Amino acid sequence: MEAYAGGDVSAFERLYARHRGPLYRYFLRQAGDAATANDLYQGSWEKIIRARLKYTASAPFKAWMYRIARNHLVDHFRRSRPTAVLEPESIASDTAGPERIMMGDQAAAGLALAVQRLPPEQKDALLLKLESGLDLQSIAEVTGVNPETAKSRLRYALDKVRTSLANADKEPGAGP
């Protein structure tokens, strides 16, 4: 980012290539529809470009980028209180990773629904961990809480997702 701020356009191209997929998926899973995710994604990159001269290497670029992205997302939700219900299919990843191949479509939908049902703070922490791979300190910085709060949110989110998935397995008609 420092190289880009200094005028090296190819440095921005490398940053964009490295972070575009996880950042877009973060917005897609938070917003629930591709059109809104695209708007948030583009707006976030615009903010990153405008803020390039203010970037300091005191924190990792990824944490700085997700802080901008999360603030942009919060602003969006404040402006337009969501009224649509997020369907489990829209939160499931479009790419077939190893976990999705193993779990199957039904389990992936159950996981997506479990994540969707989380309280916003827990959902945000979990998606920052899963989509961006941020560590606890970075999640704390991005969300504006202390590391212990971020750790608690992640722990509670994982517990709720596990419980939700375990209860889904016990429901009649679930599984073979």
Side-chain angles (χ1 to χ4, degrees), residues 14 21 24 27 112 121 172 174-175:
R14 290 188 302 275
Y24 177 76
F27 283 128
E121 297 84 10

Side-chain angles (χ1 to χ4, degrees), residues 11-119:
F12 175 77
E13 292 169 358
R14 290 188 302 275
L15 284 173
Y16 182 79
R18 183 179 309 139
H19 298 289
R20 68 179 178 211
L23 184 61
Y24 177 76
R25 286 189 303 273
Y26 171 74
F27 283 128
L28 183 61
R29 292 181 183 195
Q30 289 283 15
D33 69 271
T36 303
N38 283 330
D39 290 345
L40 291 167
Y41 175 76
Q42 292 301 323
S44 188
W45 280 111
E46 289 171 10
K47 289 177 182 271
I48 290 166
I49 290 167
R50 281 195 301 264
R52 71 186 177 274
L53 298 176
K54 297 176 187 173
Y55 174 76
T56 58
S58 61
F61 170 77
K62 189 166 28 172
W64 181 79
M65 176 187 72
Y66 276 97
R67 179 66 176 219
I68 290 172
R70 183 178 180 277
N71 289 342
H72 187 55
L73 180 71
V74 168
D75 290 345
H76 165 76
F77 282 137
R78 284 184 184 143
R79 283 190 310 273
S80 61
R81 302 283 177 200
T83 57
V85 175
L86 181 62
E87 296 299 323
E89 299 82 31
S90 66
I91 196 170
S93 176
D94 290 338
T95 59
E99 68 281 353
R100 182 165 179 174
I101 293 168
M102 289 175 47
M103 291 173 34
D105 289 340
Q106 185 177 13
L111 176 61
L113 186 58
V115 171
Q116 177 56 31
R117 290 179 175 166
L118 291 172

